[in-house]
Amino acid sequence: MQEKHLDFNESLELIRASGLFTTHTPVPAGHDSFDEGILSRYLGHYPGRFGIDWDTLLSLGKIHPENRDEKFSMSVLAANMSQNVNGVSMLHGKVSQDIFKDMYKGYLPEELHISYVTNGVHYATWAARDWKAIHYKVFGPEFRTGHYDKSCFDRIYKVSDDEIWNVRKLLKNELVKTVTERISDPALCSHYTPTQIVKINETFRPDVLTIGFARRFATYKRATLIFSDLDRLDAIVNNPERPVQFVFAGKAHPADGAGQDFLKQIIEISKQDRFLGRIIFVPGYDIRLAKRLVQGVDVWLNNPTRPLEASGTSGEKAAMNGVMHFSVLDGWWVEGYQEDAGWALPMERTYEDQHYQNELDAATIYATIENEIAPAYYNYNDRTRLSKEWIGYIKNTIAKVASNFTTNRMLTDYCNQYYYPQAERYNSLAADGNRKARKIAAWKQKVLSEWYNIRVVSCMQPDASYIVSKNDPIHGEVVLDLGRLKPEDIGVEMIFATSDAKGALHIQEIQQYDVVEYKDGVARYATSVQPERTGMYQVGIRMYANNPELPHRQDFPLVKWL
Ligand SMILES: *Cc1c(COP(=O)(O)O)cnc(C)c1O
């Protein structure tokens, strides 16, 4: 405002044009909000500097500004201050449309501008040195330039099974070494007795199928899910022919008592005789340990409460190292999962009751390990101890999964979908002494001041029993008294929607009205629709603030159903 000599609303146009709000975890703890008291203590001097009043400032962080008890939400503020909002996976984009839908009343969640860019992970950081050596050798000269093009990863199929298995064995050995070192170091680990440590070091071995789980201990991630039935788990990990071992690590937020309890429970269970060395909790979770884990285990487990995992990037790090992902279809895995390149739990919830859902998910996990994962891993003869089936999974994981989740792919998506188009729009708003920014701000002020005075003179409602035939289209006519507004400031449209099994509406067709007459501030809008498809539709009419200079409708979301 100071540098460019703009008022608050004009500046807001520029700020919004250059802003993208990337929203994260869809749980309340992921969306900070504050009461008015604390805000006024710290931000009380801002309205004066902005030349606005206190309520206007508050309204930027509220869905219902008139509600004094509603807290000021940083996410609502960010959405109001940014031209675009994105989730971090396809499913999370949809979930975010639902979370923010009340900010844009009159629009269906599916109509919102909120979209997504799926997270990726940084190859150079997360791929193991030994994998990089192979990749640089076979992925072709383009790969060395660091763009990590998808097609390069396909060449993993040229690598011999022996070579792949040798890397995997090497990385598992390193993991076993790290884990035993860490739990044997009294300065790091105090939760096992010396006798327990000896037993763990004897039992925990690189040739056993190893499943890893390490992340923040936020409760929605359900770290304790596989402990739902300890006898069943006992049978799985101590299966004489096909043993399985689990490595856990992670930290809970200092204020998350429930998450800390999960952590304690796992440590306690891991101390039971039958689980010593088969279930290990490794302390001191940090990036170094995270790397060892995602590179060293055979399978990476993720079992969040759906659909709360926005992305879940640790599984992408694992896939990059030929570690199969076994996860609820949530977050990135909805896009990542492919048959023969990992395992999935269904995306749909079966039960409303979370306890039943947990029980079902745990049972599905046990069955998948017993019937699919362990048999594939141990599908070898005792001479080679190399499962061709398993190595097929590893190759598919690198070629078909990891290749799609690099930061390079992610950054390309951000640039093409958001950064480049927004930079272009920002420049056009700022050109010529911010001419367009000023113009749009003035237009919004004008429409806002008149919007609630618009009088609907007449509106021809589509009759519920109306049957459209081929030669008899639907006619629509709406007459509005616009006051100071011009007919082109207001758009009128007819919406054809269907409802799904859950009663949610989905738009099938939108038909715009044309201005056919304008006199003394009164405009007549008309349309005639010949539906393209047959079927039963819910039909509605709405008017909205219309300006082709806006990037999308929610940039100025005045809309009213007539
Ligand atoms: C990648 C990473 C995470 C995030 O993992 P999620 O699967 O998204 O929970 C957390 N902590 C560390 C140390 C990581 O490297």
Side-chain angles (χ1 to χ4, degrees), residues 126 215 221 285 287 290 312-314 317:
W126 294 101
R215 45 183 60 87
K221 292 183 186 253
Y285 183 56
I287 290 187
T313 48
S314 59
K317 298 168 191 167

PDB file of all heavy atoms in Angstrom, residues 126 215 221 285 287 290 312-314 317, ligand 1:
ATOM      1  N   TRP A 126      16.353 -38.661  -1.021  1.00  0.00           N
ATOM      2  CA  TRP A 126      15.753 -39.860  -0.439  1.00  0.00           C
ATOM      3  C   TRP A 126      16.166 -41.169  -1.083  1.00  0.00           C
ATOM      4  O   TRP A 126      16.042 -42.228  -0.466  1.00  0.00           O
ATOM      5  CB  TRP A 126      14.222 -39.733  -0.424  1.00  0.00           C
ATOM      6  CG  TRP A 126      13.815 -38.634   0.495  1.00  0.00           C
ATOM      7  CD1 TRP A 126      13.428 -37.361   0.155  1.00  0.00           C
ATOM      8  CD2 TRP A 126      13.831 -38.670   1.930  1.00  0.00           C
ATOM      9  NE1 TRP A 126      13.195 -36.629   1.282  1.00  0.00           N
ATOM     10  CE2 TRP A 126      13.419 -37.399   2.380  1.00  0.00           C
ATOM     11  CE3 TRP A 126      14.137 -39.650   2.869  1.00  0.00           C
ATOM     12  CZ2 TRP A 126      13.321 -37.089   3.743  1.00  0.00           C
ATOM     13  CZ3 TRP A 126      14.034 -39.348   4.219  1.00  0.00           C
ATOM     14  CH2 TRP A 126      13.629 -38.078   4.641  1.00  0.00           C
ATOM     15  N   ARG A 215       6.468 -42.116  11.380  1.00  0.00           N
ATOM     16  CA  ARG A 215       5.899 -40.819  11.017  1.00  0.00           C
ATOM     17  C   ARG A 215       5.534 -40.082  12.294  1.00  0.00           C
ATOM     18  O   ARG A 215       5.799 -40.580  13.386  1.00  0.00           O
ATOM     19  CB  ARG A 215       4.665 -41.011  10.126  1.00  0.00           C
ATOM     20  CG  ARG A 215       3.705 -42.090  10.609  1.00  0.00           C
ATOM     21  CD  ARG A 215       2.547 -42.281   9.643  1.00  0.00           C
ATOM     22  NE  ARG A 215       2.980 -42.680   8.306  1.00  0.00           N
ATOM     23  CZ  ARG A 215       3.210 -43.916   7.878  1.00  0.00           C
ATOM     24  NH1 ARG A 215       3.028 -44.925   8.707  1.00  0.00           N
ATOM     25  NH2 ARG A 215       3.593 -44.161   6.650  1.00  0.00           N
ATOM     26  N   LYS A 221      -3.374 -41.205  12.202  1.00  0.00           N
ATOM     27  CA  LYS A 221      -2.515 -42.134  11.467  1.00  0.00           C
ATOM     28  C   LYS A 221      -2.582 -43.561  12.043  1.00  0.00           C
ATOM     29  O   LYS A 221      -1.992 -44.481  11.490  1.00  0.00           O
ATOM     30  CB  LYS A 221      -1.083 -41.607  11.421  1.00  0.00           C
ATOM     31  CG  LYS A 221      -0.956 -40.332  10.552  1.00  0.00           C
ATOM     32  CD  LYS A 221       0.475 -39.840  10.438  1.00  0.00           C
ATOM     33  CE  LYS A 221       0.585 -38.517   9.698  1.00  0.00           C
ATOM     34  NZ  LYS A 221       1.143 -38.637   8.339  1.00  0.00           N
ATOM     35  N   TYR A 285      13.580 -40.593  16.467  1.00  0.00           N
ATOM     36  CA  TYR A 285      13.172 -40.411  15.064  1.00  0.00           C
ATOM     37  C   TYR A 285      13.621 -39.046  14.544  1.00  0.00           C
ATOM     38  O   TYR A 285      13.326 -38.016  15.138  1.00  0.00           O
ATOM     39  CB  TYR A 285      11.650 -40.523  14.975  1.00  0.00           C
ATOM     40  CG  TYR A 285      11.096 -40.433  13.574  1.00  0.00           C
ATOM     41  CD1 TYR A 285      11.533 -41.294  12.581  1.00  0.00           C
ATOM     42  CD2 TYR A 285      10.129 -39.482  13.257  1.00  0.00           C
ATOM     43  CE1 TYR A 285      11.003 -41.224  11.302  1.00  0.00           C
ATOM     44  CE2 TYR A 285       9.600 -39.404  11.980  1.00  0.00           C
ATOM     45  CZ  TYR A 285      10.043 -40.282  11.002  1.00  0.00           C
ATOM     46  OH  TYR A 285       9.522 -40.209   9.744  1.00  0.00           O
ATOM     47  N   ILE A 287      15.470 -37.212  10.547  1.00  0.00           N
ATOM     48  CA  ILE A 287      15.560 -37.463   9.107  1.00  0.00           C
ATOM     49  C   ILE A 287      16.558 -38.577   8.785  1.00  0.00           C
ATOM     50  O   ILE A 287      16.337 -39.377   7.888  1.00  0.00           O
ATOM     51  CB  ILE A 287      15.894 -36.156   8.347  1.00  0.00           C
ATOM     52  CG1 ILE A 287      14.661 -35.235   8.402  1.00  0.00           C
ATOM     53  CG2 ILE A 287      16.267 -36.417   6.902  1.00  0.00           C
ATOM     54  CD1 ILE A 287      14.774 -33.997   7.576  1.00  0.00           C
ATOM     55  N   ALA A 290      14.803 -41.724   9.455  1.00  0.00           N
ATOM     56  CA  ALA A 290      13.748 -41.853   8.441  1.00  0.00           C
ATOM     57  C   ALA A 290      14.336 -42.388   7.138  1.00  0.00           C
ATOM     58  O   ALA A 290      13.771 -43.270   6.489  1.00  0.00           O
ATOM     59  CB  ALA A 290      13.067 -40.506   8.212  1.00  0.00           C
ATOM     60  N   GLY A 312       0.938 -38.017   2.645  1.00  0.00           N
ATOM     61  CA  GLY A 312       1.639 -39.186   3.197  1.00  0.00           C
ATOM     62  C   GLY A 312       2.909 -39.440   2.428  1.00  0.00           C
ATOM     63  O   GLY A 312       3.071 -40.472   1.784  1.00  0.00           O
ATOM     64  N   THR A 313       3.844 -38.490   2.492  1.00  0.00           N
ATOM     65  CA  THR A 313       5.002 -38.533   1.583  1.00  0.00           C
ATOM     66  C   THR A 313       6.007 -39.623   1.926  1.00  0.00           C
ATOM     67  O   THR A 313       6.803 -39.975   1.061  1.00  0.00           O
ATOM     68  CB  THR A 313       5.742 -37.190   1.592  1.00  0.00           C
ATOM     69  OG1 THR A 313       5.944 -36.807   2.947  1.00  0.00           O
ATOM     70  CG2 THR A 313       4.954 -36.138   0.857  1.00  0.00           C
ATOM     71  N   SER A 314       5.985 -40.153   3.168  1.00  0.00           N
ATOM     72  CA  SER A 314       7.030 -41.135   3.480  1.00  0.00           C
ATOM     73  C   SER A 314       6.901 -42.356   2.578  1.00  0.00           C
ATOM     74  O   SER A 314       7.913 -42.967   2.214  1.00  0.00           O
ATOM     75  CB  SER A 314       6.987 -41.515   4.953  1.00  0.00           C
ATOM     76  OG  SER A 314       5.729 -42.057   5.286  1.00  0.00           O
ATOM     77  N   LYS A 317       8.836 -41.807  -0.498  1.00  0.00           N
ATOM     78  CA  LYS A 317      10.280 -41.982  -0.273  1.00  0.00           C
ATOM     79  C   LYS A 317      10.621 -43.469  -0.330  1.00  0.00           C
ATOM     80  O   LYS A 317      11.649 -43.859  -0.879  1.00  0.00           O
ATOM     81  CB  LYS A 317      10.671 -41.419   1.092  1.00  0.00           C
ATOM     82  CG  LYS A 317      10.424 -39.931   1.239  1.00  0.00           C
ATOM     83  CD  LYS A 317      10.551 -39.511   2.716  1.00  0.00           C
ATOM     84  CE  LYS A 317      10.057 -38.096   2.924  1.00  0.00           C
ATOM     85  NZ  LYS A 317       9.872 -37.786   4.362  1.00  0.00           N
TER      86      LYS A 317
HETATM   87  C1  LIG B   1       8.673 -37.582   5.016  1.00  0.00           C
HETATM   88  C2  LIG B   1       8.744 -37.429   6.462  1.00  0.00           C
HETATM   89  C3  LIG B   1       7.561 -37.242   7.194  1.00  0.00           C
HETATM   90  C4  LIG B   1       6.192 -37.202   6.568  1.00  0.00           C
HETATM   91  O1  LIG B   1       5.749 -38.499   6.386  1.00  0.00           O
HETATM   92  P1  LIG B   1       4.172 -38.831   6.234  1.00  0.00           P
HETATM   93  O2  LIG B   1       4.124 -40.110   5.487  1.00  0.00           O
HETATM   94  O3  LIG B   1       3.581 -37.693   5.438  1.00  0.00           O
HETATM   95  O4  LIG B   1       3.619 -38.913   7.590  1.00  0.00           O
HETATM   96  C5  LIG B   1       7.656 -37.116   8.567  1.00  0.00           C
HETATM   97  N1  LIG B   1       8.841 -37.128   9.199  1.00  0.00           N
HETATM   98  C6  LIG B   1      10.009 -37.304   8.520  1.00  0.00           C
HETATM   99  C7  LIG B   1      11.304 -37.328   9.267  1.00  0.00           C
HETATM  100  C8  LIG B   1       9.991 -37.449   7.128  1.00  0.00           C
HETATM  101  O5  LIG B   1      11.137 -37.612   6.461  1.00  0.00           O
END
